[in-house]
Amino acid sequence: MIFAKKEKEVNVLLQQHYDKVMECLQEFKKEIDDFLKNAGEHCHELSFATHLKEHEADEIRRKIQIKLNEGAFLPFYRGDFIQLADMVDKIANRAKNVAQELALECPNVPDNIKGHMRSLCDTVINCFKELEVVIDNILQNKKIVMDGAANVSKLEQEADSIEWKAKRLIFANKELDLSQKRQLKNFFTEISGVADQIENCADRCMLIITKQVV
């Protein structure tokens, strides 16, 4: 009964952690939208809001580690869940880093590239929504986990495609100098990297379900 209680507490914390990381991504998207629409009028405020959500997610991650170290779940699962929480937390960390760089650098984004940046952020968030399905069913339904992981992979590939199209437009733009092109290229790489990290989390979940007997 004690172990069952601890496992329920970890499940609650995992959901709270996911929700907080989602809030972090949503604040990040607000900053992107504000930057593209209003020339970053509220960029620093929204960057700080993203930072706060990332910090709150980190606090929940620590609580998950404590509960797992107290004996929640079977021993051969504990390390996996600690690593999974760390990996999900890195999603928020990546978003926070891009948010801070955006507020600091204020890159020149041509009009024909703005839509790609918005689409990339939307795809990242949709990718993260699919990860919730995977995490929620990790110890309950292998089929849902596998299907969810496949959906995460498809959305990550979509993010890669948007990133590549944007980069082609960036380097074809004759009004940007080389340093501006490289700056924009790096931003798209970093935003797409959030989707890469989400896929890494889904892959970790796939490894966890291989330990299940049935």
Side-chain angles (χ1 to χ4, degrees):
M1 291 297 292
I2 294 175
F3 290 116
K5 180 181 177 182
K6 287 180 180 177
E7 288 168 5
K8 288 178 182 178
E9 289 172 346
V10 170
N11 284 329
V12 170
L13 287 170
L14 286 171
Q15 184 60 54
Q16 289 176 355
H17 188 234
Y18 171 89
D19 291 342
K20 195 60 65 175
V21 175
M22 174 59 84
E23 289 174 16
C24 179
L25 291 177
Q26 289 169 338
E27 290 296 336
F28 170 62
K29 185 179 185 304
K30 286 180 187 177
E31 182 186 353
I32 293 285
D33 289 340
D34 177 74
F35 181 80
L36 296 176
K37 184 178 180 181
N38 304 313
E41 183 179 350
H42 307 101
C43 207
H44 287 281
E45 296 171 24
L46 293 168
S47 173
F48 186 65
T50 304
H51 166 75
L52 287 178
K53 294 298 182 182
E54 186 274 337
H55 176 71
E56 291 169 6
D58 203 40
E59 290 297 315
I60 298 173
R61 177 188 61 82
R62 291 190 182 95
K63 291 179 182 178
I64 293 171
Q65 289 180 329
I66 290 170
K67 288 295 178 184
L68 288 167
N69 287 326
E70 288 176 349
F73 292 107
L74 295 172
F76 59 84
Y77 277 131
R78 286 174 202 153
D80 289 319
F81 277 101
I82 287 174
Q83 289 181 3
L84 179 60
D86 286 344
M87 292 173 75
V88 173
D89 207 65
K90 286 179 182 177
I91 296 168
N93 188 260
R94 280 176 173 255
K96 177 203 71 174
N97 289 341
V98 182
Q100 290 176 336
E101 290 301 316
L102 186 67
L104 178 66
E105 298 184 23
C106 296
N108 175 24
V109 184
D111 289 339
N112 68 327
I113 297 171
K114 289 180 178 179
H116 289 75
M117 189 171 281
R118 291 190 184 96
S119 295
L120 184 55
C121 288
D122 288 339
T123 303
V124 166
I125 288 178
N126 289 336
C127 191
F128 191 62
K129 288 178 181 177
E130 286 295 332
L131 181 63
E132 181 179 24
V133 176
V134 175
I135 293 174
D136 281 352
N137 290 277
I138 196 168
L139 293 178
Q140 300 176 32
N141 193 311
K142 281 187 176 182
K143 179 68 165 56
I144 293 177
V145 170
M146 289 188 288
D147 289 346
N151 290 335
V152 168
S153 181
K154 286 179 184 177
L155 285 164
E156 189 277 333
Q157 291 174 34
E158 183 179 330
D160 283 346
S161 177
I162 296 169
E163 176 194 3
W164 177 246
K165 290 175 183 176
K167 287 179 178 179
R168 290 182 64 182
L169 288 173
I170 289 167
F171 283 95
N173 192 313
K174 297 183 191 270
E175 296 181 2
L176 298 171
D177 62 36
L178 185 57
S179 63
Q180 289 174 312
K181 291 176 180 180
R182 287 177 173 170
Q183 182 187 41
L184 273 179
K185 169 183 171 287
N186 288 338
F187 270 104
F188 274 92
T189 298
E190 291 302 316
I191 296 171
S192 182
V194 180
D196 292 339
Q197 182 61 26
I198 295 170
E199 185 179 39
N200 290 341
C201 293
D203 290 343
R204 169 57 59 178
C205 292
M206 290 291 289
L207 286 174
I208 292 174
I209 66 171
T210 63
K211 294 184 177 182
Q212 297 175 35
V213 177
V214 293

